[in-house]
Amino acid sequence: MRGPTGRKAGCALCLNWRVSSAAPFGSPLHVGQPNIGNRDRFLELTAQALDRRWLTNDGPLVRDLEARIALYLGVKHCVAVVNGTVALEIGIRALGMSGEVIVPSYTFVATAHALRWLGLVPVFADIDPTTHALDPAAVRRAITPATTGIIGVHLWGRPAPVLELESVAREHDLALMFDAAHAFGVSSGGRMVGSFGDAEIFSFHATKFFNSIEGGAITTDDDEVARRARLMRNFGFVAEDTVVSDGTNGKMSEISAAMGIANLEVVDDIIRVNRRNHALYTRESEDIPGVTVLPIADDERSNYQYVVLMVDESCAVGRDEIIGRLRENNVLARRYFWPGCHRMEPYRTLDPRASERLPETERVADRVVVLPTGMNVDEDSIRRVMSIVRESVVGA
Ligand code: T4K
């Protein structure tokens, strides 16, 4: 029996691999281990919040973080919220999306779930296999009279084709939002991600290279979108007893903002470490036949937060076998974003034939291994991780 990678199926992740000739890691090496930039600064800001006895509801640290992020990204408005999923939900409503919205299936399930949670229909369009981002031609094919918007995803922090998607949206009078959960600190065409489309959203979850423990933001240059997002974040209140719109509780806490500020102050140091790690992974992969580290454009700013190893069909072993061997050695590599939202519930049942429209999504989803990086991953660890990959491929 053959699995999705065309290799032997079964519980490949649980296979009883022999341990690599290098010693396995003593404690698990996670993909999403949080970067904690400046612990003392975080504690100092947290103490200030405790002393003030102002812990949430648009506090001074949240306002400070918003101003710093807007400046860093060169965008007019930043509305900080409790997480990236709520940022998506508020963004979708603030842009007035309804009916059908076109999204990639190859993304974290939150992108699709946010739409469905609000009663909208995510319509999955295929991706470009080289960029892993929405293919504008597939987006055009997916437009129907019920379509009101497009959500592009800057997957792995590599910008989606923003200009092409802006043209499609303009031609068809659709709202355009970008899920920039992975793309903090990234530029496209020399312009920072944050002000493309009608709005963009970020996640500052602990597993993101820049984190506020839990957190997220909606960014936009549009005053009206920002006004609506601010209202919706706080139940639609404009004054103590006055509610003027729909709303939810999307407020970021002061403790999250303290973490955000402390990490933002060292964000470029974190990017430098990520970049070094990415370059070393790339070098280490060069002598391993059939695997490639997904390149990042060097002429743009990037955050290098995901190290994506592509396992080619010509590789001597399948993707899941490489992951199995890594896990045997305590390297908790991930196969993000397998199997694609369309092969997860409820989407699989709602549209059982979606696979026919999403061949590139499935091909890519079946080949990706995401490797650990960040402040906690040093050069020696990277060499050891890649020697496990090398042994599993060359020794196969
Ligand atoms: N859009 C996109 C494109 C996204 O990728 C995401 C989130 C969103 C929207 C929604 O944003 P949020 O609402 O989450 O802010 C993790 C994150 O929870 C999620 O934020 C992220 N994307 C996704 C890509 O990764 P899981 O299900 O993989 O989490 P989990 O618990 O398996 O953790 C990942 C790894 O990190 C594990 O090896 C454990 C390790 N870890 C995790 C935490 C929380 C640590 O070492 N320390 C920690 O504190 O989703």
Side-chain angles (χ1 to χ4, degrees), residues 194-245:
S195 58
F196 290 104
D198 299 305
E200 304 208 52
I201 72 92
F202 292 89
S203 164
F204 308 141
H205 183 261
T207 56
K208 298 292 182 290
F209 90 100
F210 164 69
N211 84 85
S212 63
I213 306 174
E214 289 274 3
I218 300 123
T219 59
T220 180
D221 278 337
D222 186 318
D223 298 344
E224 179 54 19
V225 170
R227 189 188 68 81
R228 281 192 227 137
R230 273 189 196 288
L231 277 176
M232 289 176 183
R233 174 181 73 173
N234 186 27
F235 309 103
F237 274 109
V238 277
E240 200 167 308
D241 308 312
T242 316
V243 172
V244 297
S245 82

Side-chain angles (χ1 to χ4, degrees), residues 54-67:
W54 195 279
L55 300 182
T56 184
N57 290 16
D58 208 15
L61 292 178
V62 167
R63 288 183 174 216
D64 186 12
L65 179 65
E66 289 179 336

Side-chain angles (χ1 to χ4, degrees), residues 29-34 82-88 107-111 153-155 179-182 201-208 213-216 306 332 334 336-337:
L29 200 60
H30 290 282
V31 163
Q33 203 158 57
V82 69
N83 59 49
T85 305
V86 168
L88 278 164
T107 176
F108 190 59
V109 72
T111 321
V153 179
H154 305 303
L155 204 78
D179 178 337
H182 301 177
I201 72 92
F202 292 89
S203 164
F204 308 141
H205 183 261
T207 56
K208 298 292 182 290
I213 306 174
E214 289 274 3
Y306 287 101
L332 304 189
R334 299 292 294 255
Y336 288 134
F337 290 98

